[in-house]
Amino acid sequence: MASLEARTNGNSNNHIEIPIHTNGVEPKPSQGVEEIDYSQRGQWLRAAVLGANDGLVSVASLMMGVGAVKEDISAMLLAGFAGLVAGACSMAIGEFVSVYTQYDIEMAQIKRQSETNNNNDDEEAQREKLPNPFQAALASALAFSVGALVPLLAAVFIKNHKIRMGVVAAVASLALLVFGGVGAVIGKTPVRRSCVRVLIGGWMAMAITFGLTKLIGSSGI
């Protein structure tokens, strides 16, 4: 009996805690896990992919259109370079105006909330989270330029006109698939659907530009 009591007393000092979870669901640890804000990432992704895709499709279509009526490589490259510069400037200005307008609207709302709550510290914290119009403009211009360089580099070393046209179309199609796939992977959207959508849109733009330019050029207008 004494030995049994000793063992019993010894075991009673060792407390064993059994966690009880409500509704049988084990709580997940809240520390060390950061949730990715895909909506915020999607905004920057949209601007980058849109800029690169616009640069690629615009310049490739422009070069295909010029190539439909002129076989001179200089004319194609000059048209493509002009499209790169004009498009990059247009994207930068458009993004700057758009983001700056959004910035003014959100700043006005923040000031109204700050005056209501009498909290200037919160106003400064929210102001730091607002997008920078200059950064957005620069990012759009760079993205457009990267996309526009693809068809230019594809055509610059090819002398034969028909081969050059085919290479521009093929390289542009491959780049469209890459842009669509990268955008889908980063944005966590279906890859195949995104690639097909971007590819068909690019093909339509190049085909329409080529066909209309060929029609107008052959009619002698």
Side-chain angles (χ1 to χ4, degrees):
M1 290 295 292
S3 60
L4 178 61
E5 290 179 359
R7 286 195 299 270
T8 304
N9 293 334
N11 293 335
S12 63
N13 293 329
N14 298 328
H15 299 286
I16 301 176
E17 297 182 358
I18 301 177
I20 301 176
H21 309 299
T22 306
N23 297 329
V25 179
E26 183 177 355
K28 297 181 179 180
S30 59
Q31 297 180 352
V33 179
E34 296 182 358
E35 295 184 358
I36 300 176
D37 188 359
Y38 288 107
S39 62
Q40 186 70 21
R41 174 188 286 184
Q43 294 179 0
W44 287 102
L45 175 65
R46 178 199 62 82
V49 173
L50 178 62
N53 188 73
D54 279 354
L56 173 64
V57 174
S58 298
V59 173
S61 299
L62 186 60
M63 294 175 66
M64 294 291 289
V66 173
V69 294
K70 286 186 176 293
E71 297 185 0
D72 186 11
I73 186 174
S74 299
M76 286 186 65
L77 295 178
L78 185 60
F81 180 75
L84 186 156
V85 176
C89 293
S90 176
M91 288 290 294
I93 294 172
E95 192 72 14
F96 178 83
V97 172
S98 175
V99 175
Y100 215 114
T101 301
Q102 177 185 357
Y103 178 87
D104 289 339
I105 294 173
E106 293 187 7
M107 276 302 304
Q109 179 65 24
I110 290 173
K111 288 181 179 180
R112 285 192 293 267
Q113 292 178 352
S114 178
E115 291 175 357
T116 302
N117 300 329
N118 294 324
N119 189 354
N120 294 328
D121 295 336
D122 187 55
E123 178 180 349
E124 293 295 332
Q126 294 186 36
R127 179 181 297 182
E128 293 177 357
K129 297 180 181 180
L130 295 179
N132 190 317
F134 295 97
Q135 291 180 355
L138 180 61
S140 295
L142 288 176
F144 186 96
S145 300
V146 169
L149 281 174
V150 174
L152 281 171
L153 294 177
V156 68
F157 299 112
I158 301 177
K159 301 298 182 181
N160 186 277
H161 174 66
K162 292 183 178 180
I163 296 177
R164 183 168 62 250
M165 295 286 286
V167 169
V168 169
V171 171
S173 300
L174 180 60
L176 286 170
L177 289 175
V178 172
F179 289 156
V182 170
V185 170
I186 299 178
K188 301 298 181 181
T189 58
V191 176
R192 180 178 299 178
R193 185 183 305 172
S194 177
C195 291
V196 171
R197 181 170 58 244
V198 172
L199 181 61
I200 293 177
W203 280 352
M204 290 178 61
M206 289 187 288
I208 292 172
T209 306
F210 179 88
L212 290 178
T213 308
K214 185 74 171 178
L215 178 63
I216 295 175
S218 61
S219 63
I221 299 178

